[in-house]
């Protein structure tokens, strides 16, 4: 649930910021009549994300065991690539995101209603598809419980509340700090997802060494303890990982964390959208 909540919160807040920027631009430009077009684009993006999630679930459910392991491995590796690119993109593009969105929406207003819908759709669809792919990869093996669905739903609801609060200036949070800490946690989540993908490739027979364990901490990590569930659900920490799983985790986590924390490449997040001016 914790990993799903983090995914929903992080990705949901990015989408909420995008939507609030678009809405604030229309309100300040006295183009409230175009707001339904923005919400239509947002709704279409949400539907696309749900269809994508259903397609992933349907595909996984109609494969034999080896094909399912291979499919889940590919999804895990793809999710790792997407979340990594998203984390670094947000770090560098946050400052200019507001200006770029406003410029695109201004052009769309000149082109017509369909263009406005398309801008809103494209702005949110990227976040939605990433959220779906990352969540699907993160909750593999947890299909017997509703916790992942509850977690991501709570994360998205929290993101919506934060986005609305920022838009109305009821909340003042340091977005740079928020995205830094959630970025760090998501890197560890992504490392666990990659580790799971390697495990699936080993179970499918595409990689050797499934039973060659790097270490065994089963005497310390009680599988029934709450902290074991948190570590396993959040970061895919297991008591007996294979050598290849461990190598994949370290080979991903260490350099990505170093690059993410390297001070020279960090760009502060831009300011939150300003509140709409109420008509007198």
């Amino acid at each position: 649930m914790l990993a799903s909540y983090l995914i929903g919160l992080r990705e949901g807040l990015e989408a909420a910021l995008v939507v609030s920027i678009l809405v604030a631009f229309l309100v300040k430009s006295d183009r409230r009549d175009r707001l339904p077009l923005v919400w239509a684009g947002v709704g279409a993006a949400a539907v696309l994300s749900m269809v994508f999630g259903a397609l992933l679930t349907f595909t996984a459910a109609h494969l034999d065991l080896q094909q399912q392991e291979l499919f889940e491995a590919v999804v895990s590796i793809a999710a790792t690539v997407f979340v990594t690119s998203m984390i670094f993109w947000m770090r560098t593009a946050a400052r200019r995101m507001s200006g770029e969105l406003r410029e695109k929406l201004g052009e769309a207003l000149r082109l017509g209603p369909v263009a406005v819908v398309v801008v809103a759709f494209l702005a949110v669809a990227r976040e939605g598809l990433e959220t779906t792919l990352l969540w699907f990869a993160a909750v593999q093996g947890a299909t017997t419980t509703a916790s992942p669905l509850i977690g991501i739903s709570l994360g998205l609801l929290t993101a919506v509340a934060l986005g609305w609060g920022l838009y109305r200036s009821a909340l003042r949070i340091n977005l740079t700090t928020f995205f830094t800490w959630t970025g760090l946690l998501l890197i560890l989540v992504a490392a666990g997802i990659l580790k799971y993908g390697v495990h699936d490739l080993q179970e499918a027979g595409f990689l050797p060494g499934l039973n060659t364990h790097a270490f065994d901490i089963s005497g310390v990590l009680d599988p029934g303890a709450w902290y074991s569930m948190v570590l396993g659900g959040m970061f895919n920490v297991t008591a007996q990982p294979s050598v290849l799983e461990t190598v994949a985790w370290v080979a991903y986590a260490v350099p990505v964390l170093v690059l993410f924390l390297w001070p020279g490449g960090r760009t502060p997040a831009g300011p939150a959208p300003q509140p709409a001016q109420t008509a007198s």
Side-chain angles (χ1 to χ4, degrees):
M1 178 182 287
L2 290 175
S4 299
Y5 178 82
L6 176 63
I7 292 167
L9 176 62
R10 166 76 187 225
E11 297 284 342
L13 185 57
E14 289 185 24
L17 288 173
V18 167
V19 174
S20 62
I21 289 170
L22 296 178
V23 171
F25 176 78
L26 290 178
V27 171
K28 288 187 175 185
S29 302
D30 197 23
R31 299 300 303 271
R32 292 175 181 267
D33 59 308
R34 297 304 189 189
L35 286 176
L37 299 176
V38 170
W39 294 120
V42 171
V47 170
L48 176 64
S49 301
M50 289 187 285
V51 170
F52 182 52
L55 180 62
L56 289 174
T57 304
F58 178 82
T59 302
H62 289 78
L63 299 173
D64 61 40
L65 183 59
Q66 185 182 35
Q67 291 174 334
Q68 187 173 4
E69 297 289 353
L70 181 59
F71 176 75
E72 291 178 351
V74 171
V75 170
S76 296
I77 294 171
T80 304
V81 173
F82 275 112
V83 71
T84 306
S85 63
M86 175 269 295
I87 290 169
F88 283 96
W89 174 84
M90 194 64 188
R91 188 184 67 168
T92 57
R95 179 184 289 272
R96 63 178 185 270
M97 181 174 65
S98 178
E100 290 179 352
L101 284 173
R102 292 169 186 270
E103 181 180 353
K104 289 178 181 178
L105 187 56
E107 294 175 358
L109 287 171
R110 290 190 291 272
L111 291 175
V114 175
V116 176
V117 176
V118 171
V119 168
F121 171 80
L122 293 178
V124 178
R126 177 179 180 271
E127 307 296 340
L129 294 177
E130 283 182 354
T131 303
T132 303
L133 182 63
L134 183 57
W135 180 71
F136 180 85
V139 302
Q140 294 178 55
T143 55
T144 58
T145 174
S147 295
L149 182 59
I150 295 173
I152 196 169
S153 298
L154 291 175
L156 290 172
L157 289 174
T158 304
V160 170
L162 288 173
W164 175 252
L166 287 170
Y167 171 74
R168 301 299 301 179
S169 291
L171 295 177
R172 295 291 185 184
I173 64 173
N174 189 314
L175 292 179
T176 300
T177 302
F178 174 85
F179 284 121
T180 297
W181 282 104
T182 55
L184 287 173
L185 290 174
L186 276 182
I187 288 172
L188 297 178
V189 170
I193 292 174
L194 178 61
K195 176 175 172 285
Y196 194 98
V198 171
H199 180 80
D200 278 339
L201 288 175
Q202 289 181 307
E203 286 195 332
F206 284 86
L207 288 177
L210 177 62
N211 297 315
T212 305
H213 299 141
F215 51 82
D216 184 354
I217 56 173
S218 54
V220 178
L221 194 65
D222 181 6
W226 67 269
Y227 55 84
S228 299
M229 298 179 190
V230 171
L231 291 174
M234 193 80 172
F235 308 120
N236 194 25
V237 174
T238 54
Q240 293 178 308
S242 70
V243 172
L244 281 180
E245 289 178 64
T246 305
V247 168
W249 194 99
V250 174
Y252 170 84
V254 172
V256 173
L257 284 171
V258 169
L259 288 173
F260 183 77
L261 294 172
W262 197 263
R266 187 167 305 162
T267 301
Q274 296 298 314
Q277 299 293 331
T278 55
S280 56

